[in-house]
Amino acid sequence: MIPAVDYIRILPELVLSIFGIIVMMVDPVLPEQGSKKPLGIVALVGTLAALAATAYQTGFYGEAFYHMVRVDTFSVFFHVVVLMIALVVILASYDYLDVQSIRAGGEYYALILFGTVGMMLMSSAIELVLIFIALEISSISTYILAGMRRRAAESAEASLKYFLLGSFATAFFLYGVAMIYGATGTTNIYNIANYLHTQQSTLAYLAVGLMFVGLGFKVASAPFHVWTPDVYEGSPAPVVALMSTGPKAAAFAVLLRVLFATGAPGWFWMVWVSAVLSMTLGNIGALVQQNVKRLLAYSSIAHAGYLLVAFAAGRQVGISAAMFYAASYAAMNVGAFAVVSHFASAGEKYVTLDDYAGLGRRSPVLAAILTIFLLSLIGIPVTGGFFAKFYVFSAALQSNLVWLTIIGVINSAIAAYYYLRIIVYMYMRDERSEAPVARIPVGLGIGLAISLVATIYLGVLPGRVLEYAIQGAQDLLK
Amino acid sequence: MVPLSYYLVLSAILFGCGVAGFLIKRNIITIFLSIELMLNGVNLSFVAFAAQLKSLDGHIFVFFVMVVAAAEAAVGLAIIISVFRTRETLNVDRVNLLKL
Amino acid sequence: MHLWIIPLLPLAGAAINGLLGKRFARGLVTTIALGSTALAFAMALWVAAQFAGLPPDQIPHIERYATWLGAGSFSADFGIYLDQLSLVMLLVVTGVGFLIHVYSVGYMEHEGGYYRYFSYLNLFMFFMLTLVLANNYLLMFVGWEGVGLASYLLIGFWFLKKSAADAGKKAFITNRVGDFGFLIALFLLIKHFGTLQYDSLWPLIGKYPIESGAAGLLTAIGLLMLVGATGKSAQIPLYVWLPDAMEGPTPVSALIHAATMVTAGVYMVARSHLVFNRAPDAAMAVAIIGTLTAIFAASIGIVQTDIKKVLAYSTISQLGYMFMACGVLDYVGGIFHLVTHAFFKALLFLAAGSVIHGLGGEQDMRNMGGLRKHLPYTFWCMTIATFAIAGLPPFAGFFSKDRILWSAWSNGYRSLWLIGVITAGMTSFYMFRLWFLTFFGDYRGPNPEAAGHAHDAHAGGSHGHGAPHESPMVMVVPLIILALLSFIGGWVGVPHSLKGSDHFDAFLSPVFHAPAAPAEGAQEQGESTTELAFTGISVSIALLGFLSAWWLYYKRPELPGRMAKAAGGLYTFVLDKYKVDELYGAVFIQPLIALSLNVFWKGIDRGLIDGAVDGSAAGAREVSDEMRQMQSGNIRSYAGWVAVGAAAVIAFMVWRGVR
Amino acid sequence: MLPLVLFFIFAALCVGGAINLLVQKHPINSALSLIVVMGSLALIYLLLGAEFVAAVQVIVYAGAVMVLFVFVIMLLNAGVEERTEHASRVATVLGVPGLIIGLSIAVWVVSHLAGLDRIAIGGPTVMNGSDVFGNPQAIGRLLFRDFLLPFEVTSLLILIAIMGAVVLARREE
Amino acid sequence: MNFINNNILTIVIFLPLAGAILLVFFPRRHRDIRYFALAVSLITLLASLHLPWYLVRGQSGFQFERNIPWIAHPNIHYHLGIDGISMWLVILTTFLMPLCVLISWNSIGDRVKEFFILMLVLESAMIGVFVALDLFLFYFFWEATLIPMALIIGMYGHGRKIYASVKFFLYTMIASVFMLAAILWLYARTGSFDFVTIQSMIQGGQVPGFGNAALWLFLGFFVAFAVKVPLFPLHTWLPDAHVEAPTAGSVLLAGVLLKMGTYGLLRFNLGLFPDQARRNAPWIIALAIIGIIYGALVAMVQPNIKRLVAYTSVSHLGFVVLGIFSFTQLGMDGAVYQMLSHGISTGALFMLLGMVYDRRHTYDINEYGGLATPMPVYATFFAFIMLSSVGLPLLNGFIGEFLVLSGAFQARQLYGILAATGVIWSACYLLWMYQRVFYGAVSNPANNSLRDLDARERVSLWPLAIAALVMGVAPMLWLHSIDPAVAATLRQFSSAVQAHAAHAPGSLVRADFTRNGMQALLQVIGR
């Protein structure tokens, strides 16, 4: 018999799934050609309910369903991050769907909710079976979401690329799971940890490598990042906001569990090289991009690299730094893409830098908000991005990774160039674009406000979130 | 009696064939088939390990992998159809609007 | 004694006129400017009277007002140091300065920027007084730089004329080169003595032995001071600015570029006599530089045709004498010549100014002649001045110059003496040449009708006079006073050999602790006989100069032209001032500009540094562009990258696991 | 001895099918080759005592999923794949076997070091003792108790898949 | 009173920021915005005047300190404090700001609100840089100056403004990440960001691994500051930034931002790594001297007035670096003084250039000539400021230059001699420029009808002119508080160096240096 408290430990996921189903059931009731906004509201309520459920969850830390999930500060931390992402994405989609005339609103919101369920499960699952399924849930829903702009060939292409390469990478992950299973005889993270603590296993090395390939693909770290620019460019902007943050954060959570909770061996140089490659390739690749979505895609590769620096730093400082980075990266990136999604207008026509010329004049508020997100991405003080980088590099230095830190800081300086380019276009170029600027709709406004507040909050008073992250790191290592 | 490593090598060969197929085939559907081949290879590992460990977890895993593969197949084929609609081709090399 | 009032009076005048003068009537401007200078002069006289009453142990009289600059253990005061030397300078500066102020009222009457002119002039007075009265080197440096500034402003007074603006700039920059040396000297003093205050510095320096043979610290300081002095006092090699400085209004030339500012170098050397006494090499350098400058400038002066240029080179030459005096350690002689020179050279300039004024701006002596009828006062004043500078007794210049030559000889600098004597002859020659060319013969200028608009050197352009005419009384009176001084000014220093009592020497010697004063006692009798003989030599040389000038420019005026033709290249070479300006231009200025422009700016800054920066930016973009090729858009190639990555990871992890 | 022989036979079939999948130009042939692989694998599963998995392999995988593939191939009327750019024969000829052999060697080395090649499994013991190991009952117990949550979550996955298929394949009106 | 003393620095920092935030909600009425910005900057100036008024002169260490925990992990404190050095830089900032508002009155006509918001934010950040005593806080403010300045250049500049803005941004950004790395290293080893704590830990030898890392840490800080100063080969962003920046931007850039670099060198490079500072001094001084001469020579041949003045900054800031690394009381006093006086003179020069740019919209010297005729008042102001920049005694420039040079000379004669040639060069380039712009007849008809300065422009120039004069005549007003602060820095420095010398016998401490240092020290103690 399963105790009732176990259901509380998956309560947010349950709530979200139920609301996803409600969305699907409400969809046919709505008029065929009408606005899908009511669905958005349902989804919004669902997300808020899930947030509340997450808050409720904090009183019930522990494992559930025969060691399938584990609710602790670590998982709650990522739950909140993922749910906040979903919240902002739903808000950003609120008007986006109508603007882009995406008819499949029911499926759209339902997929976001279900995908979020997958991501949340990824962070709380401690059994590789469940992790795998959750990973697939979040992946498949994003594959589909990527193809949501059905009239656009780019969207279909993005979907296909994401799907094929994603499945390809998943196979590697799965192979890794098979190996770890062979090595340790179990697929439970903490059982694996127990085994690896007592016994050496050659297979485990191979297993970690293969799982890193699969997860590295999900977090878009080099050299498994190649899909990112294409997919981000082709996918609907709010979906990019989601997929560049949510599954990434969740995959990082899994990676943290796999690398740290299991005490997996031998991965340090692999992660080190991957971090360096990600930062460098991401930043250099972004230098000449003209398409803002694509540019941000490259930047997200670089950010994965910074996060991996924290991984390389390891220990509690590294883990907490990585968690903090994931949170603040989510806040700023989701915000940036939300702005992009609004500005892109119908058919996502206006996504190149030239379209951004003079935005500071045409739409000062939108430009100012985007500027703050970009500054945060650069890592300028008073923004979350600054503290994120700060913690990561200081963790790296505490672990004596001087060279990695130096490469990292140089990279973050180079990165300033292309973010600055967007600011330059917005404020310093003369207006040439005919891109219209619509008023900021309410939904998007709220969404932007949330991510803005989060970004600034993390930049001014990071202490509290960091404490949670430290607590989470402790829980993870327990 | 068959040594476990034989199964593992066979599984690796199948996986490798899948990877190779992904890399050299041009038809999207064939590429997708290659992915299935990779999954089959993985499955073999699971089952072999399960037999060695006398644990059924591996079988369960295989079961879930099959379910996932089925789901992926449904979505994947739908995506392929959708791509075919917009691009009128199944040649993966022609699906390259997005690049650089 | 509230000595601070003296420099502050002209400063107040300068400030009031400078800030508000534009709205004042000319009369008010004049009143303020002249009033402040007159008060300063009166005060100076009063101070002199007070000073005479001071007991010897209260000399020097030092007043400190405030710390100007203090950092760490170093500090420099606002303070005044009054001894015989500075008193003499004070009187000369305020006295001559006042006279020239008066003269300027007439001279500048028709010029624009009247208030500006007087403001600058007062400012100059302030800085000059600061220079001479300062109780430390830093404050002296303030005055030193300040007079340079005033000189810059006044030379460039007619800034619409490019040559004037150029000359001002040249003066300032050349002086800065000298200041560079002076500054280094100050740094050496600070480094080794920790102070620049005279009263604490002298005892410290006094403890040093004489650096004969091996050059040491004091020699270095002395030589660096000499560098500073060559700048301000227009000695070789930094004299080049002074001839150009004649672009300024003539009273300015008289005051700044003849009587006072240019003598600052001499004053500084005299003020630093303790250094030079202990650094014979430095002193010798001073003497040599001075002597060479004297003859060099005189040789150029012989062929110049611009009346002011002749006087300018003459000034340089006379300053050379003063340096020579200081170099042979006869500071009294140097200062004595400084004083007499102030009188007669100011007079010469003012008189020349009067001539120029009278001719409506004409400065070329070839267009003058016969002016003694038109400008009688000027002529007589000029005559006195010419005789004074030529060194003919009993005019002022005779005593001072003779004393210098005698000091050179008696201190063993025989070759310098010889050059000095030759220079004296040349001086006499070119001065009488000027005198004859200007005032004798026939008027060679254009018709009175045409004169009005043909020769209008002044930018103000209001000198539309007709025929040559005498200047107004406001200009003539200062001339007369100066003429009087040039005549009798030397009498304060009649040497013992001429049965004089040499008051000047007696007055000033205490300052210099009389190391080089003519020997007293037993030898005196023999010495004074020799001295008399030498006096005879110099007077006859001066007469020789007079006679040849008379022969060439009065009796046979066509001769010089023929001689010039005969000399050919040499003549033009001298006429072109030995092409020193061109040499400096070719050796220093142009290479420097070319270097800065082509190598530093365009080469290093733009080419190398910016090139590297922009190049690396472009390089990064290129790399980025190359790397984009990785993103071919082809799924299979993407899978290839993933597979390659996976292969690397697998290989690495297997290797790790195997190890 | 028999299991080893059987293993080699089925393994050869598997590899043959896999290689055929690579070699065939027409997707339908590749799909059929894959079915061969799957069938052979099912037999190997039996060899390993995994009866339930073997059954599911045939029914779900080789049956349902592959039918879907064939269906789509037919639907889209896919023909022989065309030659396009990015075709480096050398890479194909050397890279593919290299990749496969490399991976196999890696796995072999690792399993050798892990001592796995000394562990012999399969054969009669497994086949005969199948009443306790690998039968549907045991699996069912595991699936609906220990793995209840993943099992339930799978329903979500399938729901998504259905939804996705509908949304993407639906003709845009 | 106590409350004010405790919080005055916070107030001074955040007043402009509060103003900026209020300004965000202002209606877009340009006049009101300008007056409001002026009022805010004036109030900030008034508030900052509290500092010199109540500064206790003889007291060593930091004053008006405020030290409260800000973030627990990592251990970041909101630690503010000033000494005689930083106080004047704060005053310089607050003093220049109202003038910058005035100078931008009409020349900024577009996006006025954004402009003044940026200016006020910039002011907050600049003040923060000078008063922060927590390394993190310092870095925080340091970076925070970057964005507003880059935007001011990029949005309100002209010509190649984007190139200039990006260049400025990247130069500073890339260099300062090295400082960040060094700060992080220090934190990783000491567990503190507090300047005073870290300083004493380093001196006490309590930082593990410091010996090997010291050089790199020193360089990390040094590069960040050297770019800002800017020191010789890193200077090329400066002319571009200046030429394209709007007037107020140039004024603040030259007046304050460059001083952040020299201040950093003085406070952090010397304060934290005295031994490294001493070891590396020779080549740093060499760069400074090259900067002095090179900057001047390149300035001389510039065809663009603003670029010319920009290069003079390279030259003048070379003096400051020279003074700092002479490690003598005189040199460092002079360096601090030169920072202030350069802020005044060059700030004023840029304002003057801005005024003529407003009229003619060009900085090309060839476009001008004979300006003294139509604009006599302007020409007079210009001449005055130029003279102060040339280093004429009794004006501000002289004091700093003299002290620096004599300090450098004390340290090593060659330094002083080479640097003193700067005296000649500065006269060359400025006088030549002045002559070409102002003297002669008006050559370009466009200049014939130029207006002379109006009341607003005069009002914005007078304070600077007066400041230049007062700073030249009565430098003790400043030196009284600068001198003890420098002495304290030097004391710290020489004791650290001596401690090191004691550890490692035969190290290269030059006898004359120690003697001078001790002499200065005794003097201060004795007072």
Side-chain angles (χ1 to χ4, degrees), chain C residues 101-110 114 118 357 472 474-475:
Chain C
H101 269 73
V102 174
Y103 177 90
S104 297
V105 173
Y107 191 83
M108 298 303 287
E109 199 181 352
H110 307 289
Y114 190 73
F118 276 105
H357 189 84
V474 74
M475 288 164 72

Side-chain angles (χ1 to χ4, degrees), chain A residues 456-476:
Chain A
I456 302 283
Y457 174 75
L458 290 173
V460 178
L461 298 168
R464 206 152 155 182
V465 176
L466 189 72
E467 272 163 35
Y468 278 121
I470 290 169
Q471 184 63 41
Q474 282 166 355
D475 286 0
L476 177 75

Side-chain angles (χ1 to χ4, degrees), chain C residues 229-262:
Chain C
T230 54
K232 194 104 304 178
S233 294
Q235 297 295 293
I236 290 175
L238 298 179
Y239 71 91
V240 286
W241 62 272
L242 187 60
D244 290 13
M246 297 304 130
E247 288 291 340
T250 305
V252 170
S253 307
L255 177 59
I256 301 184
H257 305 121
T260 55
M261 182 188 90
V262 287

Side-chain angles (χ1 to χ4, degrees), chain A residues 184 186 188-198 260-263:
Chain A
T184 64
T186 174
N188 183 292
I189 295 279
Y190 289 91
N191 291 343
I192 294 172
N194 287 338
Y195 183 91
L196 288 180
H197 273 303
T198 53
F260 292 103
T262 60

Side-chain angles (χ1 to χ4, degrees), chain A residues 329-355:
Chain A
Y329 170 72
M332 59 205 183
N333 214 41
V334 116
F337 273 110
V339 175
V340 172
S341 74
H342 172 65
F343 186 63
S345 302
E348 297 217 344
K349 264 195 292 189
Y350 305 109
V351 286
T352 65
L353 279 177
D354 286 329
D355 298 322

Side-chain angles (χ1 to χ4, degrees), chain A residues 30 84 250 302 352 357 361 367:
Chain A
L30 293 175
M84 296 296 282
T352 65
R361 209 184 283 273

Side-chain angles (χ1 to χ4, degrees), chain C residues 310-329:
Chain C
V310 175
L311 292 177
Y313 282 103
S314 142
T315 305
I316 297 172
S317 175
Q318 297 303 307
L319 288 166
Y321 273 117
M322 297 177 212
F323 270 72
M324 185 210 253
C326 293
V328 301
L329 304 186

Side-chain angles (χ1 to χ4, degrees), chain A residues 157 160-161 164-165 168-169 172 202 205-206 208-210 212-213 217 223-230 265-267 269-270 280-282 284-289 294 298 417, chain C residues 617 619-659:
Chain A
E157 182 178 330
L160 179 74
K161 280 181 171 165
L164 284 180
L165 292 166
F168 188 59
F172 280 95
T202 325
Y205 285 91
L206 185 55
V208 170
L210 287 167
F212 182 76
V213 174
F217 177 89
F224 317 113
H225 65 281
V226 269
W227 57 279
T228 326
D230 291 6
W267 46 262
W269 285 108
M270 177 175 76
T280 314
L281 293 182
I284 293 183
L287 288 180
V288 288
Q289 296 303 328
R294 205 169 172 82
Y298 277 102
Y417 172 73
Chain C
R621 251 176 268 126
E622 250 163 54
V623 169
S624 173
D625 223 31
E626 281 300 309
M627 253 176 43
R628 271 153 35 118
Q629 303 309 318
M630 192 174 170
Q631 232 66 41
S632 60
N634 187 296
I635 295 178
R636 295 188 307 122
S637 97
Y638 289 3
W641 285 109
V642 174
V644 167
V649 165
I650 290 167
F652 171 75
M653 291 307 275
V654 167
W655 173 72
R656 288 282 321 207
V658 167
R659 211 164 48 118

